[in-house]
Amino acid sequence: AVRLADFEGPLDLLLFFIRRDELDIHDIPIAQIADEYLAYVRVLDEVDLDGAGEFVYMAALLISIKAQMLLPRPAAEDGEEAFDPRKELVDRLLEYMRFKEAAGELAFQEGQRAALYARQSPVERKRYAGSDDFITYDYSVFQLVSALKRVLDRAADEEPESHVVQAESYSVEDQRTFVLDRVRAGGRHSFVALVKERPKPFIIATFLALLEMIRERVITVHIGDEGLSDFFVEATG
Amino acid sequence: MFPELHQVLEALLFAADRPLTADEIAEVMHTATGDDPPTTEAIDAGIDALNQVYEETGRVFRVNRWAGGYQVATEPIVAPYLKALFADRGTRRLSRSLIETLSVAAYRQPVAKPEIDFVRGVDSGYALKRLLEMELLAVVGRSETVGKPLLYGTTTHFLERFGLNNLEELPKLKEIEELLQDPELRQRKELLDLQAVLGSEPADPADSTESTSDELAEAP
Amino acid sequence: MFPELHQVLEALLFAADRPLTADEIAEVMHTATGDDPPTTEAIDAGIDALNQVYEETGRVFRVNRWAGGYQVATEPIVAPYLKALFADRGTRRLSRSLIETLSVAAYRQPVAKPEIDFVRGVDSGYALKRLLEMELLAVVGRSETVGKPLLYGTTTHFLERFGLNNLEELPKLKEIEELLQDPELRQRKELLDLQAVLGSEPADPADSTESTSDELAEAP
């Protein structure tokens, strides 16, 4: 099964918001971010991705900070810094950013070194044999989740309240076949178009199938001008 | 007729499929001839001489110094051809979650899983397992803290894969202030803005982490 | 800037671990550049040109034509050195000084050199270096004590070599500690005990990480 953490984690989602809205990390509007974070967690929960629990934990933390922010704070004494309930989280985010930056440097180093070919020993070949841990991508997985969220919201709006939900289910495996049939024909396919006017279970299973196939490098993602509202997939060349 | 030192070095480094240390080379030479082996300095000078000849005569390989030893590898100019030759093996780069876990472990070593999990905000169990299997990390002991979790550290293979001679050559971990104020990052932010206007995404995946901080750097 | 034909040939033949045919080479070149590949005759002439340069510049390898393809191999003049390089591959047992040092490191990890030296009563510098090269030990950090010496710990390869699943499977020292209150005696006993176990390491013919002779490891 696909684990979201294989792509990105709860801290990345926070950084995603901060980056998207160009927020000052030292003055995060917690109330707004907490609500939005929760909305994303609901989506992750609905999709039932492995590891969503870690996001739930972070959402709970944000809500607790939000609550603390609402409490009257004692005025700062001279020479003392006012207590900011966000401080611990911000410190953690900053520390995480340091390592993300370092990881970027290492990845660069890895690329430089990878251009130099030495004789490869059998041991070396064994080390990396049959591994699927090499997917690299230059977008945030939360861009994909954003698109999913919009599609799901729209699907919910279109569904009449009284509508009796059919006990129709879609397996991730079926949706793999569904996606493969389309991308094999060639060209880039819009996620929105793939799941247009389909029921929620169909949308979710398709999304999971896509994540799986991205991880296995069966398909490649392109983020177009639509930015956060849609993305495109094509068969990996 | 006996070969000269630089010729012996060349032969050994060409035949080996891993980095050879000066000590190993000295040992091999002693075993082969029974003579006193050359000093580390002589070997190192011999390597320099070889590289100079390679450059002067248009060879497309060089002796590299990494993982505490010497290893011959091709120059970047021929990389596309070797990539094509080894298409089935691929020039595979570690995924984001693996390289992130690896960098936390590299900078914090010896480090236990709970600490890595905390920094990353996610369970790093799978990533650690894979990095151990790839021999980029190794178990190096046990922590004295509650539960005595295993401690992880990087391996010689890690140095080899990243072309580092030792851990001191790791890129310096940036201070937070640096991260938020780096003028280069500011510059890139302008580039990003321009790209946003032109409607294209930044192409370089290595930039994705930095672009996060770009936005922050510009925040009031 | 593009490499010349003979440079591409050199790179491919250097990195390949088997003979390459002219057809294979042509295909790789076509894949890498998209251009029409060179003819078999052009490739063969390129090989001749390479060999001539190798001879003129004193290289100790030549491109050989065998098994229906081309393969680089070293000249007979350096054969004794390569024999010495590969002779040590395989199943050598660790020397006594290496085993001793490894024992102390295994039980005390993460441990700094001064502590190992103290326990063994001799300088362990060389032994440590060899154990690091064999990837039985790895640097896992720095001590907080004076001089911030490096800390060493055992690797996954250590576990593999000694057939242990994890460090918990190291022979327990508890009984000994109960018996012997004298700390110095305990240390001696600790050594003997581990040697007894580690000295019976399984032979592993697939192992190629340690390729140096043990005799040198015994040197003072």
Side-chain angles (χ1 to χ4, degrees):
Chain A
V2 177
R3 269 175 46 86
L4 194 59
D6 292 339
F7 293 88
E8 285 165 282
L11 291 169
D12 295 295
L13 182 53
L14 262 180
L15 287 174
F16 171 72
F17 291 142
I18 290 169
R19 181 189 170 192
R20 188 195 60 190
D21 301 339
E22 303 198 18
L23 303 174
D24 176 1
I25 197 165
H26 290 296
D27 191 17
I28 301 172
I30 283 288
Q32 176 202 327
I33 291 294
D35 292 345
E36 206 171 349
Y37 201 100
L38 206 60
Y40 269 73
V41 168
R42 286 206 191 93
V43 173
L44 299 181
D45 196 47
E46 190 161 2
V47 175
D48 202 18
L49 275 171
D50 279 354
E54 287 159 334
F55 289 84
V56 174
Y57 171 81
M58 182 59 67
L61 182 66
L62 287 169
I63 290 163
S64 126
I65 295 172
K66 177 182 164 185
Q68 285 179 63
M69 298 285 287
L70 295 173
L71 296 174
R73 276 182 271 173
E77 310 250 328
D78 275 351
E80 263 184 44
E81 222 175 292
F83 170 74
D84 188 336
R86 297 170 296 186
K87 189 175 181 307
E88 204 180 309
L89 178 64
V90 170
D91 287 348
R92 212 176 140 185
L93 266 179
L94 287 170
E95 186 68 0
Y96 180 55
M97 281 172 59
R98 290 179 79 200
F99 283 105
K100 273 184 85 80
E101 207 275 341
E105 296 268 337
L106 268 187
F108 176 75
Q109 189 96 21
E110 184 187 32
Q112 300 280 98
R113 169 64 182 84
L116 314 180
Y117 287 75
R119 282 211 169 154
Q120 216 179 17
S121 68
V123 177
E124 179 83 350
R125 277 198 291 283
K126 205 180 74 192
R127 264 178 184 134
Y128 297 104
S131 174
D132 60 351
D133 297 301
F134 297 93
I135 174 193
T136 56
Y137 52 97
D138 56 358
Y139 51 88
S140 165
V141 74
F142 299 115
Q143 290 179 290
L144 311 189
V145 176
S146 289
L148 171 68
K149 185 170 171 299
R150 283 181 73 120
V151 171
L152 285 178
D153 287 350
R154 204 176 305 153
D157 288 347
E158 283 163 7
E159 243 168 59
E161 285 300 318
S162 61
H163 180 74
V164 181
V165 182
Q166 287 178 311
E168 213 172 347
S169 68
Y170 299 88
S171 73
V172 174
E173 209 168 307
D174 289 343
Q175 294 317 101
R176 278 185 75 110
T177 317
F178 167 78
V179 173
L180 270 178
D181 282 348
R182 272 148 192 83
V183 297
R184 267 197 195 125
R188 295 185 179 183
H189 296 261
S190 142
F191 170 64
V192 172
L194 277 176
V195 299
K196 198 173 168 62
E197 284 165 14
R198 300 284 196 162
K200 271 190 167 188
F202 181 95
I203 299 170
I204 289 169
T206 308
F207 186 80
L208 287 175
L210 287 173
L211 279 190
E212 234 178 59
M213 292 157 78
I214 293 166
R215 196 173 185 284
E216 293 160 11
R217 291 187 299 179
V218 175
I219 56 172
T220 308
V221 170
H222 299 275
I223 308 281
D225 299 347
E226 290 76 6
L228 303 178
S229 58
D230 196 4
F231 60 89
F232 299 84
V233 295
E234 72 179 327
T236 302
Chain B
M1 194 183 117
F2 290 102
E4 292 177 48
L5 172 59
H6 72 267
Q7 291 184 309
V8 174
L9 294 176
E10 179 173 74
L12 293 177
L13 293 173
F14 267 83
D17 52 14
R18 63 194 167 83
L20 295 180
T21 66
D23 281 358
E24 283 177 289
I25 292 170
E27 255 180 75
V28 164
M29 292 187 69
H30 174 68
T31 309
T33 61
D35 295 340
D36 279 351
T39 62
T40 302
E41 291 70 33
I43 290 171
D44 206 62
I47 298 295
D48 283 338
L50 265 185
N51 273 337
Q52 201 184 328
V53 173
Y54 290 167
E55 199 176 328
E56 284 166 7
T57 57
R59 304 275 65 77
V60 287
F61 39 72
R62 297 288 182 274
V63 183
N64 296 274
R65 293 173 166 89
W66 55 48
Y70 305 105
Q71 189 166 23
V72 180
T74 55
E75 290 275 275
I77 189 178
V78 288
Y81 301 90
L82 295 163
K83 203 178 160 192
L85 176 65
F86 296 123
D88 54 327
R89 289 181 207 166
T91 41
R92 311 217 277 176
R93 312 276 300 274
L94 296 178
S95 71
R96 202 180 282 188
S97 65
L98 288 196
I99 199 121
E100 221 178 87
T101 306
L102 186 59
S103 68
V104 178
Y107 286 96
R108 290 264 171 111
Q109 61 184 299
V111 65
K113 182 172 172 291
E115 192 180 340
I116 301 175
D117 288 349
F118 182 77
V119 170
R120 299 190 57 222
V122 293
D123 178 32
S124 302
Y126 175 78
L128 277 172
K129 180 171 168 274
R130 293 296 302 129
L131 291 167
L132 287 169
E133 281 166 7
M134 293 175 186
E135 301 188 55
L136 290 166
L137 289 182
V139 172
V140 298
R142 275 187 184 279
S143 165
E144 285 306 308
T145 58
V146 182
K148 298 199 172 259
L150 294 171
L151 289 170
Y152 302 96
T154 52
T155 59
T156 310
H157 174 60
F158 165 79
L159 296 175
E160 192 184 327
R161 179 172 178 105
F162 290 88
L164 305 169
N165 221 348
N166 51 52
L167 287 177
E168 271 142 55
E169 287 187 8
L170 271 176
K172 233 185 100 225
L173 199 54
K174 286 209 173 64
E175 292 306 320
I176 287 157
E177 302 317 311
E178 247 182 299
L179 215 59
L180 294 179
Q181 282 162 16
D182 189 340
E184 249 190 65
L185 296 186
R186 278 169 183 275
Q187 225 171 12
R188 258 180 245 153
K189 157 80 168 118
E190 281 155 27
L191 199 69
L192 280 178
D193 285 344
L194 188 68
Q195 276 163 343
V197 172
L198 298 176
S200 69
E201 283 284 310
D204 187 355
D207 276 352
S208 58
T209 44
E210 285 140 3
S211 45
T212 307
S213 36
D214 292 345
E215 310 281 70
L216 301 172
E218 284 300 292
Chain C
M1 194 182 116
F2 291 100
E4 293 177 44
L5 173 59
H6 71 268
Q7 291 185 309
V8 174
L9 295 175
E10 178 173 72
L12 294 177
L13 293 173
F14 160 71
D17 46 16
R18 61 193 164 83
L20 295 180
T21 65
D23 283 355
E24 279 177 293
I25 292 170
E27 200 186 318
V28 163
M29 291 187 71
H30 174 66
T31 308
T33 62
D35 295 342
D36 281 348
T39 62
T40 302
E41 292 71 34
I43 290 171
D44 207 64
I47 298 294
D48 283 338
L50 265 185
N51 274 336
Q52 199 184 328
V53 174
Y54 289 166
E55 199 174 330
E56 286 166 7
T57 57
R59 305 275 65 78
V60 288
F61 41 76
R62 299 285 182 275
V63 181
N64 297 275
R65 292 172 166 89
W66 57 43
Y70 307 105
Q71 187 165 28
V72 180
T74 49
E75 291 277 276
I77 188 178
V78 289
Y81 299 91
L82 296 173
K83 202 176 153 204
L85 176 66
F86 293 118
D88 302 311
R89 268 200 180 165
T91 59
R92 295 286 188 112
R93 299 255 312 250
L94 297 176
S95 70
R96 198 185 137 77
S97 67
L98 291 194
I99 272 286
E100 262 190 16
T101 307
L102 187 57
S103 328
V104 180
Y107 276 106
R108 300 240 165 163
Q109 61 188 301
V111 66
K113 182 171 172 293
E115 192 181 338
I116 300 175
D117 289 351
F118 175 76
V119 174
R120 294 188 57 217
V122 293
D123 184 86
S124 304
Y126 186 84
L128 274 173
K129 203 172 162 201
R130 292 291 304 126
L131 290 167
L132 288 169
E133 283 166 5
M134 292 177 186
E135 302 195 14
L136 290 168
L137 291 181
V139 173
V140 299
R142 276 190 185 278
S143 165
E144 284 308 305
T145 57
V146 181
K148 294 197 176 265
L150 294 172
L151 289 171
Y152 302 95
T154 53
T155 60
T156 312
H157 178 58
F158 164 84
L159 296 176
E160 203 178 293
R161 179 170 173 122
F162 293 96
L164 304 170
N165 273 319
N166 51 53
L167 289 175
E168 273 162 337
E169 290 186 7
L170 274 173
K172 288 279 183 303
L173 295 173
K174 204 170 156 237
E175 310 91 279
I176 307 157
E177 280 177 39
E178 278 166 6
L179 283 173
L180 306 164
Q181 295 306 311
D182 185 327
E184 251 184 72
L185 268 178
R186 199 177 75 217
Q187 279 162 0
R188 295 305 304 169
K189 179 72 179 101
E190 182 179 303
L191 275 182
L192 293 173
D193 191 65
L194 184 69
Q195 277 167 41
V197 178
L198 297 190
S200 62
E201 69 203 56
D204 179 7
D207 181 1
S208 63
T209 46
E210 43 150 333
S211 53
T212 33
S213 72
D214 297 326
E215 292 87 293
L216 269 182
E218 283 294 280

